Amino acid sequence: MAIHENQSQPLPVIIVGGGMTGLSAAWELQQQGVPYVLLEASGLLGGKVETTITDDGFLVEKAADAFILGKPYAAQLAREVGLEAEAIHPREDTKKLYFLRGGRLMDFPGNLKMFVPLDDDSFRASGVLSPEGTERFLNEVNIPPRPATDEDESLASFVIRRFGEEALNFIVPIAAGIYVANPYELSMQAAFPQFLKMEQDYGSLIAGSRATPRASGPIFMSFKGGMGALPGAIASKLTGEVRLNTPVLRVHPDGVTIAGGEKVAGSAVILAVPAWYAAPMLSQGFPETAQLVGELRANSSVAVTLAYRREDIEFDMNMHGLLVDASEGIPLKAMTVHSAKLAGRAPVDHVLVRCFFVGLEPLDAYHEAVKEVERLLGAKDEPLEHWYGDWRGKNPAYQVGHLEQLQRIRDSLPDNVKIGGASFTGVGIPDCVNAGRSMAREVATVLAATGVPS
């Protein structure tokens, strides 16, 4: 039986996908008084954002362990759904980072704003680049800006142009880590528009970073019960219809067809699923869009979380983690010590470490993680437990020209069908929240303009 057979009732907006983008869209429609139906293919809401709390007291994140506060959208939503009292921030007393270069763990440079040094002396003293590479890096302040243009460029092109070729090995682990990206393909316009703007406004990232005040207060935010608290809190306050285990087969201008052939009628559709799921759904109703969406690429990564007794690791684990120089030639890209970075992530006298890899199968990544924790941190025994975050083929690539492709995708759809989320408009949780709420507001405006009742 189709939903809303009684056409005297306003048709709902159909939201496809119950990750952070879809949940945020549902919440915004609810605030706007627009009826909606949210359809999620799996049995869980939250998408990648998932927290496991074990019986023996470990709190394990499947994906993000925190979100950035510089983009206010996720923190604002958390306040709206009553999570403000649950907010926590990375610990200041363990705010220690290392940089693995030449097989040696070095102190991460101090006094940086992301990867830009706020004073020359601290960066020179760090030794993360050769003396020649360091001076070329600091000379960025004298490199003239590229003439203003609409033409996109890759992260690698931008970094080499402004900071020199050796700088790429230092900057890529910091800047491209969240995208698990090939720096020679990653779009600056899509991933780092703020740096392009700073180049134009100040002529230099070093000059711009030093001229603008550093934000006060915490930079990141999480929750006492883990990141899964956010989708859980949103879901608990949704009053519209939410259907789990309901895969969508096809999207139409007037609704969707779900597995089993049922047609769910709607006044609009918000497609909040990754590109690799969206393209097949669009193939019949919107073949041009399906082709454009299908051209978006994805990258792969695997995260392995390991639990140890504190006594079984020689290294001082009061640190947030380490980054790996891009030229190191090992699959390990970064390591986070969750038990020290955020409170309440492991029982007393235990350590929780997460290792990030590119180009490995999960089992190989596990063995590599154990080996690297032993080599770098002096682990004397096998881990007590381990968990996987398997994101093979599931990290949006944002290749050069991404924003132009996104505009073509949007132009190929009618006003009452929207598409957005991590594959399209930003991979971080704040970006997903903003995408969902923005699409919901756009749909509400379209419906109001066309006289569709809500």
Side-chain angles (χ1 to χ4, degrees), residues 58-63 65 98 105 302-324 332-342 345-347 349-357 365-366 368-389:
F58 291 102
L59 188 153
V60 181
E61 302 284 18
K62 192 171 185 181
D65 62 7
Y98 291 91
L105 284 177
V302 174
V304 182
T305 304
L306 306 173
Y308 292 89
R309 285 181 288 267
R310 178 65 191 88
E311 63 189 27
D312 289 337
I313 295 185
E314 296 176 355
F315 202 84
D316 181 2
M317 298 302 286
N318 286 312
M319 63 169 176
H320 284 191
L322 62 90
L323 295 173
V324 179
L332 178 71
K333 301 304 173 187
M335 202 180 278
T336 302
V337 184
H338 278 195
S339 48
K341 180 181 177 182
L342 291 156
R345 270 45 188 168
D349 297 328
H350 287 76
V351 173
L352 199 63
V353 180
R354 185 155 62 156
C355 302
F356 299 87
F357 298 93
Y366 166 75
E368 194 71 20
V370 172
K371 183 184 79 174
E372 292 292 8
V373 173
E374 179 181 351
R375 177 174 77 98
L376 299 173
L377 306 180
K380 296 177 289 187
D381 206 345
E382 293 289 305
L384 302 172
E385 300 178 65
H386 68 276
W387 303 264
Y388 292 114

Side-chain angles (χ1 to χ4, degrees), residues 434-449:
N434 186 41
R437 300 191 80 159
S438 296
M439 288 190 291
R441 287 191 291 266
E442 290 167 7
V443 161
T445 299
V446 167
L447 295 181

Side-chain angles (χ1 to χ4, degrees), residues 209-375:
S209 296
R210 294 178 183 182
T212 52
R214 191 195 293 265
S216 60
I219 299 173
F220 295 96
M221 177 172 157
S222 186
F223 304 101
K224 294 175 185 175
M227 288 303 303
L230 183 55
I234 301 168
S236 71
K237 294 185 179 298
L238 293 182
T239 56
E241 185 170 2
V242 176
R243 293 173 63 173
L244 301 178
N245 302 305
T246 308
V248 170
L249 301 180
R250 291 184 294 279
V251 175
H252 318 284
D254 58 350
V256 300
T257 300
I258 62 176
E262 178 188 350
K263 175 75 178 290
V264 182
S267 57
V269 177
I270 292 176
L271 202 51
V273 295
W276 49 91
Y277 293 133
M281 296 178 191
L282 293 161
S283 60
Q284 289 191 20
F286 306 95
E288 180 189 356
T289 311
Q291 180 177 338
L292 292 168
V293 171
E295 291 169 358
L296 298 177
R297 302 272 69 85
N299 295 316
S300 298
S301 66
V302 174
V304 182
T305 304
L306 306 173
Y308 292 89
R309 285 181 288 267
R310 178 65 191 88
E311 63 189 27
D312 289 337
I313 295 185
E314 296 176 355
F315 202 84
D316 181 2
M317 298 302 286
N318 286 312
M319 63 169 176
H320 284 191
L322 62 90
L323 295 173
V324 179
D325 185 291
S327 66
E328 199 67 8
I330 61 175
L332 178 71
K333 301 304 173 187
M335 202 180 278
T336 302
V337 184
H338 278 195
S339 48
K341 180 181 177 182
L342 291 156
R345 270 45 188 168
V348 176
D349 297 328
H350 287 76
V351 173
L352 199 63
V353 180
R354 185 155 62 156
C355 302
F356 299 87
F357 298 93
V358 172
L360 294 183
E361 299 291 310
L363 184 58
D364 294 333
Y366 166 75
H367 291 302
E368 194 71 20
V370 172
K371 183 184 79 174
E372 292 292 8
V373 173
E374 179 181 351
R375 177 174 77 98

Side-chain angles (χ1 to χ4, degrees), residues 65-69 75 79 84 86-94 217-224 320 340-345:
D65 62 7
F67 56 83
I68 195 164
L69 290 169
R79 286 191 291 272
E84 194 164 14
E86 297 300 308
I88 62 172
H89 307 284
R91 291 168 53 187
E92 288 292 326
D93 61 319
T94 60
I219 299 173
F220 295 96
M221 177 172 157
S222 186
F223 304 101
K224 294 175 185 175
H320 284 191
K341 180 181 177 182
L342 291 156
R345 270 45 188 168

Side-chain angles (χ1 to χ4, degrees), residues 45-300:
L45 295 171
K48 282 187 174 183
V49 180
E50 183 180 342
T51 302
T52 298
I53 301 177
T54 69
D55 292 340
D56 46 0
F58 291 102
L59 188 153
V60 181
E61 302 284 18
K62 192 171 185 181
D65 62 7
F67 56 83
I68 195 164
L69 290 169
K71 298 178 178 181
Y73 315 110
Q76 173 62 33
L77 180 54
R79 286 191 291 272
E80 291 178 23
V81 297
L83 278 180
E84 194 164 14
E86 297 300 308
I88 62 172
H89 307 284
R91 291 168 53 187
E92 288 292 326
D93 61 319
T94 60
K95 198 173 181 179
K96 176 81 172 175
L97 274 176
Y98 291 91
F99 191 66
L100 179 64
R101 181 173 183 260
R104 184 168 67 92
L105 284 177
M106 315 168 67
D107 288 345
F108 199 78
N111 206 21
L112 295 182
K113 187 183 284 187
M114 196 169 181
F115 58 79
V116 181
L118 298 182
D119 74 89
D120 291 359
D121 291 343
S122 295
F123 194 72
R124 284 193 179 101
S126 70
V128 293
L129 297 178
S130 70
E132 297 78 15
T134 297
E135 294 311 311
R136 172 62 184 88
F137 193 109
L138 295 174
N139 191 53
E140 186 270 348
V141 74
N142 298 313
I143 303 298
R146 185 175 72 161
T149 176
D150 291 334
E151 186 178 349
D152 199 1
E153 70 177 317
S154 70
L155 173 65
S157 168
F158 180 85
V159 168
I160 293 170
R161 179 169 63 79
R162 295 221 54 85
F163 294 93
E165 193 160 358
E166 189 182 338
L168 201 61
N169 296 329
F170 173 68
I171 291 176
V172 164
I174 306 168
I178 188 173
Y179 294 96
V180 197
N182 180 339
Y184 292 91
E185 298 178 351
L186 181 61
S187 161
M188 283 297 295
Q189 289 181 350
F192 304 110
Q194 71 273 28
F195 297 142
L196 295 174
K197 185 176 188 305
M198 185 172 284
E199 179 187 23
Q200 294 302 316
D201 290 349
Y202 293 92
S204 155
L205 268 64
I206 290 178
S209 296
R210 294 178 183 182
T212 52
R214 191 195 293 265
S216 60
I219 299 173
F220 295 96
M221 177 172 157
S222 186
F223 304 101
K224 294 175 185 175
M227 288 303 303
L230 183 55
I234 301 168
S236 71
K237 294 185 179 298
L238 293 182
T239 56
E241 185 170 2
V242 176
R243 293 173 63 173
L244 301 178
N245 302 305
T246 308
V248 170
L249 301 180
R250 291 184 294 279
V251 175
H252 318 284
D254 58 350
V256 300
T257 300
I258 62 176
E262 178 188 350
K263 175 75 178 290
V264 182
S267 57
V269 177
I270 292 176
L271 202 51
V273 295
W276 49 91
Y277 293 133
M281 296 178 191
L282 293 161
S283 60
Q284 289 191 20
F286 306 95
E288 180 189 356
T289 311
Q291 180 177 338
L292 292 168
V293 171
E295 291 169 358
L296 298 177
R297 302 272 69 85
N299 295 316
S300 298

